[in-house]
Amino acid sequence: MAAPSPTDHKSGKLLGRLTLPERRFVADALRTETVGGVLLLVAAIAALLWANIPAVSDSYADVRSFHIGPASLGLDLSLQHWAADGLLAIFFFVAGIELKRELVAGDLRDARAAALPVIAALCGMAVPAVVYVIVNTVGDGSTDGWAVPTATDIAFALAVLAVIGTSLPSALRAFLLTLAVVDDLFAILIIAVFFTSDIDFLALGGAFVGLALFWFLLRRGVHGWYVYVPLALVIWGLMYNSGVHATIAGVAMGLMLRCTRREGEQQSPGEHIEHLVRPLSAGLAVPLFALFSAGVSLSDHAIAQVFTRPETLGVVLGLVIGKTVGIFGGTWLAARFTKAELNEDLAWPDVLAVAALAGIGFTVSLLIGELAFADDPVLTDEVKAAVLIGSLIAAVIACVMLKLRNRRYRALTDAEERDEDHDGIPDIYEEDNPAYHLRMARIYEDRAAEHRRRAEEAAAAALQTAAGSTAEGDRPA
């Protein structure tokens, strides 16, 4: 299965029309993410209400700090901790599969096609980090949170699109999806490199042995969830106790799955497992993480702190300005130096709107915020509030920009979906197929014959009516 291709190199078009397999891939991938994004949005709102309604706010703190798990294995963790280190491992497992598929069977295997999303994603992470560092250097704040505004939450962005009732053309949706995959890759690297605590090499060695066994069983073609799920839990537990962030175990296992199809296969093992696990990730793991992480105080004082404290102001400006400028600037530079022309159906304001939409940082931003300021719970909550407020501002700006072009988007989407010959393939993909034009000729001939028949019937009825009126006029009084 082909992956999204933001640049059509054959025609030299930037954000050109996707091939049919690519379009179907994007539609299937985003459908689940959209549903998950709506659940994520509901969970975030529930967490904010739970944490800010005085009658129940104390219970929120008690529930998320409730500890459960075997202390003898070093896993006596709070529910909030289980959500961040345990449930998000499922999210990163899916991200690892997506990344593997992109690298071996998708857009990222072609250096030319990969240039646009990689450059846009790198710029979209570097510029927010620079904005954060500048704000905190000038304001004498902590630069530890430089990575917080670098992440994009694709599910939340799609939920926003669903709520405002707008639909992006498939090329822009593919660009957003591929951008998010690359974004996840660099977020994983940031977590692995910059947020690893003191390492227990014995536990880390055990995790590597488990991963080697996982890889060996996959290569030997061993099947059965009852083999891999217990092994994955052991690997996760060892990785957690090693000091390396436990979500890295999920990424590593996802990258080991085979994502290329062999003869006779309708799906590769990676695609099949992703299809099974993605609903669990998008529908349960990420919303529960949001429920236990997004509940921060939004009092007048807390909101004022967001815009006056350099750490929180840096997060807001990084998401709202840094992401937009970085992704738009990276895309423009990629187009400028590859000499690719923007698809004539789109305009640069469309790219700017998608760049603003990518400023919605939630899941990974909240996780990095917890890691960056783990020793300061008050600042952690303030940074979380900054993530929420910055994401809200980015969403509002993107919604306004997208709504201005919504009529154009709907026309493009309708054209992509039109199937007048009812063969299951949109007509726009059959313009070079002679058989399609012959089918359409027969359809129009049948329609023309039907209209001629109806015209003859209408004319006959009119003559009969006229004849009846004349006969009545000639009848003596």
Side-chain angles (χ1 to χ4, degrees):
M1 179 180 294
S5 182
T7 305
D8 184 352
H9 293 285
K10 292 181 180 180
S11 62
K13 294 294 183 184
L14 180 69
L15 299 178
R17 183 194 307 163
L18 302 179
T19 64
L20 184 59
E22 291 168 357
R23 183 177 179 276
R24 288 173 172 167
F25 167 81
V26 172
D28 290 341
L30 296 187
R31 189 176 296 112
T32 303
E33 292 288 356
T34 301
V35 174
V38 173
L39 294 175
L40 178 62
L41 184 60
V42 170
I45 293 173
L48 290 172
L49 292 175
W50 193 359
N52 286 277
I53 295 176
V56 295
S57 59
D58 289 341
S59 67
Y60 179 76
D62 292 339
V63 169
R64 72 174 181 176
S65 61
F66 180 77
H67 278 64
I68 189 172
S72 59
L73 298 178
L75 297 174
D76 182 20
L77 310 177
S78 67
L79 291 181
Q80 182 182 6
H81 209 163
W82 275 111
D85 288 80
L87 292 178
L88 279 194
I90 301 174
F91 167 80
F92 279 104
F93 174 70
V94 174
I97 298 175
E98 291 177 337
L99 177 59
K100 176 67 173 292
R101 186 187 57 232
E102 288 289 326
L103 289 171
V104 301
D107 196 49
L108 299 183
R109 67 176 177 173
D110 182 348
R112 294 181 304 167
L116 174 63
V118 169
I119 292 173
L122 280 173
C123 293
M125 299 185 81
V127 176
V130 170
V131 169
Y132 179 92
V133 171
I134 291 174
V135 170
N136 281 272
T137 300
V138 173
D140 197 24
S142 171
T143 57
D144 292 344
W146 62 270
V148 175
T150 60
T152 295
D153 195 310
I154 181 68
F156 220 128
L158 294 171
V160 169
L161 292 178
V163 169
I164 66 173
T166 189
S167 57
L168 291 178
S170 58
L172 288 177
R173 284 180 286 160
F175 176 60
L176 187 62
L177 177 62
T178 310
L179 186 73
V181 172
V182 179
D183 194 291
D184 284 342
L185 165 62
F186 290 109
I188 291 163
L189 293 176
I190 288 173
I191 292 172
V193 174
F194 295 99
F195 297 104
T196 295
S197 56
D198 296 334
I199 297 178
D200 182 334
F201 287 99
L202 181 62
L204 184 61
F208 278 121
V209 171
L211 288 171
L213 178 59
F214 190 89
W215 178 87
F216 177 76
L217 293 174
L218 287 173
R219 292 301 173 271
R220 297 292 294 179
V222 176
H223 299 286
W225 64 268
Y226 45 84
V227 174
Y228 292 102
V229 172
L231 179 58
L233 291 175
V234 171
I235 293 170
W236 176 87
L238 289 169
M239 189 69 75
Y240 175 83
N241 282 286
S242 74
V244 177
H245 200 270
T247 55
I248 303 301
V251 176
M253 287 183 279
L255 288 171
M256 290 182 182
L257 295 176
R258 177 170 61 83
C259 293
T260 53
R261 297 182 185 180
R262 292 174 180 170
E263 186 175 354
E265 288 184 339
Q266 293 185 343
Q267 283 185 318
S268 67
E271 290 172 327
H272 176 66
I273 294 174
E274 181 188 10
H275 180 73
L276 295 176
V277 179
R278 184 186 285 275
L280 177 63
S281 170
L284 181 65
V286 176
L288 281 178
F289 168 75
L291 182 64
F292 290 119
S293 293
V296 296
S297 173
L298 291 181
S299 63
D300 293 342
H301 175 71
I303 294 175
Q305 282 284 88
V306 168
F307 295 99
T308 56
R309 187 161 183 165
E311 293 89 350
T312 50
L313 181 60
V315 170
V316 173
L317 294 180
L319 288 172
V320 177
I321 297 176
K323 271 289 184 183
T324 305
V325 172
I327 293 174
F328 180 82
T331 306
W332 185 87
L333 287 173
R336 175 70 177 82
F337 289 103
T338 60
K339 297 181 179 179
E341 296 180 1
L342 186 66
N343 179 6
E344 62 272 8
D345 292 330
L346 301 174
W348 282 108
D350 299 323
V351 180
L352 185 65
V354 172
L357 189 66
I360 300 175
F362 190 78
T363 305
V364 179
S365 290
L366 291 178
L367 175 62
I368 294 177
E370 291 180 356
L371 297 174
F373 301 105
D375 297 331
D376 191 340
V378 174
L379 182 54
T380 297
D381 281 350
E382 291 175 351
V383 167
K384 288 182 178 180
V387 170
L388 296 175
I389 292 173
S391 297
L392 178 61
I393 295 172
V396 171
I397 293 173
C399 287
V400 172
M401 298 176 70
L402 291 170
K403 274 297 185 182
L404 293 175
R405 293 272 290 171
N406 195 43
R407 181 176 298 180
R408 177 61 176 165
Y409 296 153
R410 289 197 179 279
L412 292 173
T413 302
D414 290 343
E416 291 178 354
E417 296 177 351
R418 187 176 298 113
D419 182 18
E420 290 191 78
D421 60 345
H422 304 292
D423 65 343
I425 300 175
D427 297 338
I428 200 170
Y429 292 98
E430 297 191 282
E431 293 175 345
D432 297 327
N433 183 3
Y436 159 75
H437 292 288
L438 292 174
R439 286 196 302 272
M440 291 304 301
R442 286 194 295 271
I443 289 172
Y444 285 125
E445 288 168 359
D446 292 341
R447 289 179 182 175
E450 176 66 16
H451 283 293
R452 281 193 294 268
R453 184 185 64 78
R454 291 187 179 184
E456 291 171 357
E457 290 177 351
L463 287 173
Q464 186 175 1
T465 301
S469 299
T470 303
E472 288 185 6
D474 293 341
R475 185 178 303 164

